[in-house]
Amino acid sequence: MVHFVGAGPGAEDLITVRGLKLLGQADIIIYAGSLVNPALLEHAKEGCRIYNSAYMTLQEVTAVMEEAEGEGLTTVRLHTGDSSIYGAVREQMDELDRKKIAYDVCPGVSSFCGAAASLRAEYTLPEVSQTIIITRAEGRTPVPERESLKALAAHQSTMILFLSSGLARKVKADLLEGGLSPETPVAVVYKATWPEEKIVRTTLDELPETMEKEQIRKTALIIVGRILEGEYAKSKLYDPAFTTEYRKGTKQ
Ligand code: SAH
């Protein structure tokens, strides 16, 4: 059996209780070495075989899983954050389906949630934005044309850019072209929840210079949108006048 486990954003105690339990039971752990906190590997049991997938191809990863399965062993494939977001997990699951190897998925705290906590931000503020766009700038991996940053900017929603910290100039140019104002607030969160975490607040206009000055080139999220500044409306849920399923409001 293979368990895909989300390791969380970085801090070693932000893995789920279930994830930690699976980690401690694994005979084999294949972890995403570029981003998973190595401290998590200290929870591996005695004799557990550990592989760093940063040095492996998809074929090599699935070959390890297949061999383990043949020996009746349990494998944990440890992904950073949550495996559903830029985790290249579907191709592994499809391989396992082809090989008739059973697997399940244990969710994790994605780095964008870790970044919200670090920023003390709410991504969905009433009358500012009720939508989060999770995306990336086009680099070596193509992005479908209809999802270009320019096209997505039109929504003026909260945007969270993964895998884009080396592309700040392009991010700025495309979002401006898509209609965002140069004054749009931006936060860059480097290594959210890790001890070396760094938060930088800037504007779209100053994003490239700020990232250069701070020397942030990888393992960062770029968060764009008006939720990062002051103005918003209060929620209806806790409005004294508003009636909900659980509470009668003062206004009929
Ligand atoms: N599955 C992961 C994302 C993997 S893609 C998740 O759910 O978070 C790798 C990208 O995620 C990095 O380039 C960076 O943009 C972002 N990332 C991962 N961990 C991060 C962290 N702790 N702080 C900021 N960004 C992070």
Side-chain angles (χ1 to χ4, degrees):
M1 173 93 188
V2 176
H3 304 285
F4 292 93
V5 175
E12 61 181 298
D13 55 351
L14 283 177
I15 190 170
T16 63
V17 174
R18 186 191 295 179
L20 192 63
K21 215 180 201 172
L22 290 169
L23 206 57
Q25 292 167 352
D27 303 299
I28 313 273
I29 295 173
I30 309 170
Y31 74 107
S34 55
L35 283 169
V36 166
N37 189 336
L40 280 171
L41 302 175
E42 285 161 26
H43 299 277
K45 70 180 181 191
E46 192 74 25
C48 173
R49 297 208 298 268
I50 297 177
Y51 297 83
N52 180 351
S53 64
Y55 301 107
M56 299 163 81
T57 62
L58 171 64
Q59 280 68 27
E60 287 166 343
V61 167
T62 49
V64 169
M65 293 171 174
E66 191 173 16
E67 200 188 314
E69 195 64 15
E71 296 173 44
L73 302 177
T74 300
T75 302
V76 160
R77 173 69 169 107
L78 194 58
H79 280 271
T80 176
D82 184 81
S83 61
S84 70
I85 297 177
Y86 304 113
V89 72
R90 168 73 189 271
E91 60 197 32
Q92 297 175 68
M93 296 194 284
D94 284 351
E95 268 310 293
L96 295 182
D97 281 337
R98 264 193 287 280
K99 295 177 195 292
K100 307 217 170 350
I101 296 173
Y103 59 85
D104 62 13
V105 180
C106 172
V109 177
S110 177
S111 58
F112 82 93
C113 298
S118 300
L119 289 167
R120 293 160 179 78
E122 179 175 342
Y123 291 140
T124 53
L125 284 179
E127 293 175 31
V128 179
S129 178
Q130 291 289 286
T131 306
I132 305 168
I133 296 177
I134 290 175
T135 188
R136 65 180 300 169
E138 183 169 73
R140 285 199 300 159
T141 302
V143 172
E145 174 64 34
R146 62 184 177 278
E147 297 182 350
S148 68
L149 289 184
K150 184 180 159 201
L152 295 177
H155 297 283
Q156 311 252 334
S157 311
T158 303
M159 283 182 106
I160 300 170
L161 305 181
F162 283 71
L163 298 159
S164 304
S165 32
L167 298 164
R169 277 180 202 288
K170 180 178 167 50
V171 169
K172 173 182 166 181
D174 289 0
L175 292 180
L176 288 180
E177 211 186 320
L180 290 193
S181 119
E183 300 315 316
T184 306
V186 175
V188 179
V189 185
Y190 169 74
K191 294 201 95 173
T193 81
W194 289 75
E196 59 270 41
E197 170 186 287
K198 193 151 133 187
I199 294 176
V200 183
R201 292 178 189 266
T202 183
T203 59
L204 188 53
D205 195 34
E206 287 171 12
L207 176 67
E209 288 72 24
T210 309
M211 290 189 74
E212 220 156 274
K213 195 172 116 235
E214 300 289 339
Q215 303 200 348
I216 300 176
R217 298 191 190 92
K218 56 182 216 170
T219 328
L221 292 168
I222 301 173
I223 295 147
V224 182
R226 288 193 304 111
I227 56 107
L228 293 167
E229 66 185 21
E231 298 287 302
Y232 64 98
K234 295 258 171 58
S235 80
K236 294 277 180 230
L237 187 60
Y238 299 110
D239 180 347
F242 193 70
T243 297
T244 73
E245 194 183 333
Y246 300 100
R247 186 174 59 75
K248 197 167 161 40
T250 52
K251 202 159 99 193
Q252 293 310 303

